[in-house]
Amino acid sequence: MTATRPLRADAERNRQRILDAAKTLFAERGVDVSVEEIAAAACVGIGTFYRRFPDRESLVEAVFETKMEQVVQVARDALEIEDPWEAFRTFVVTVARMHAHDRGLKSVTLGSVRGREVAAAFRAAIQPLAQQLLDGAKAAGALREDVTSLDIPMIYQAVSAIADRTRDVAPDYFERTLTLLVDGLARERTPTPMAAPPLETEQFLTIMSRHRP
């Protein structure tokens, strides 16, 4: 079997520029950013782009494989926390924040047609870990018995939607929604202090006056 030859230094630099540009644009705008915009942001020609990545799908998978590995590691780290509720809460809050700050991650993990193969592998890896965290919190009597594993991605959807709508007016506001949603999962729990200030009336009116994209 022939070993894969390493890229030349300049070719590797171009590949990394494309990856870095894609990570930024995907996080800011989602995974439907055009190849031309990514190449321009990376300061490379479109021909150079296609020499490093044969198609958009290969780029999406290269970008999000690492990000999804980070989510899996969050779950593994949470399982090391002794208190079952804190373990569950840490996982949910950390991943929700990742979704809130990265529109591309939200798209790929929560149903986009982009990156389907890497997303499928991610779900196979994360589901048993997330279920273990959920079951542990229930067994400890800390989590509502009627919560299911499918409720958690819906929390990510809700928090991401709030983050998208408020990020240029009150970028940390989604933290309040996240706090309320996670506290609502607890069977009995002292309310968690809010991690962000409330909206001012003017901010609220600005946000609510917008048309949905």
Side-chain angles (χ1 to χ4, degrees), residues 68-155:
M68 291 182 184
E69 287 172 355
Q70 293 171 350
V71 176
V72 171
Q73 189 58 50
V74 168
R76 291 180 178 137
D77 291 343
L79 285 167
E80 298 297 319
I81 298 173
E82 185 174 354
D83 179 83
W85 169 255
E86 191 57 33
F88 174 77
R89 182 184 179 281
T90 296
F91 169 69
V92 174
V93 168
T94 303
V95 177
R97 286 171 176 162
M98 294 172 73
H99 282 292
H101 290 297
D102 192 330
R103 286 174 169 166
L105 180 65
K106 174 186 69 174
S107 298
V108 172
T109 59
L110 299 180
S112 169
V113 297
R114 305 291 187 191
R116 283 179 291 188
E117 289 189 13
V118 72
F122 164 74
R123 284 191 287 270
I126 196 65
Q127 283 172 354
L129 300 175
Q131 189 66 52
Q132 189 175 345
L133 288 161
L134 186 147
D135 290 344
K138 280 188 178 181
L143 180 65
R144 291 174 52 145
E145 283 293 334
D146 54 358
V147 174
T148 76
S149 60
L150 298 182
D151 291 318
I152 308 309
M154 298 305 288
I155 288 177

Side-chain angles (χ1 to χ4, degrees), residues 180-194:
L180 293 170
L181 290 172
V182 174
D183 273 12
L185 299 174
R187 179 175 288 179
E188 293 181 13
R189 181 67 44 174
T190 301
T192 304
M194 290 290 189

Side-chain angles (χ1 to χ4, degrees), residues 4-21 23 42 44 48 51-53 62:
T4 302
R5 295 170 57 185
L7 294 175
R8 299 191 319 271
D10 59 337
E12 179 56 37
R13 281 195 297 272
N14 286 337
R15 183 179 187 279
Q16 193 58 51
R17 284 175 184 165
I18 294 167
L19 281 171
D20 290 343
K23 286 176 183 177
V44 302
T48 298
R51 283 193 292 274
R52 304 284 71 85
F53 297 96

Side-chain angles (χ1 to χ4, degrees), residues 48-64:
T48 298
F49 176 95
Y50 281 115
R51 283 193 292 274
R52 304 284 71 85
F53 297 96
D55 51 37
R56 175 196 290 275
E57 193 71 10
S58 61
L59 175 62
V60 170
E61 292 191 355
V63 169
F64 288 100

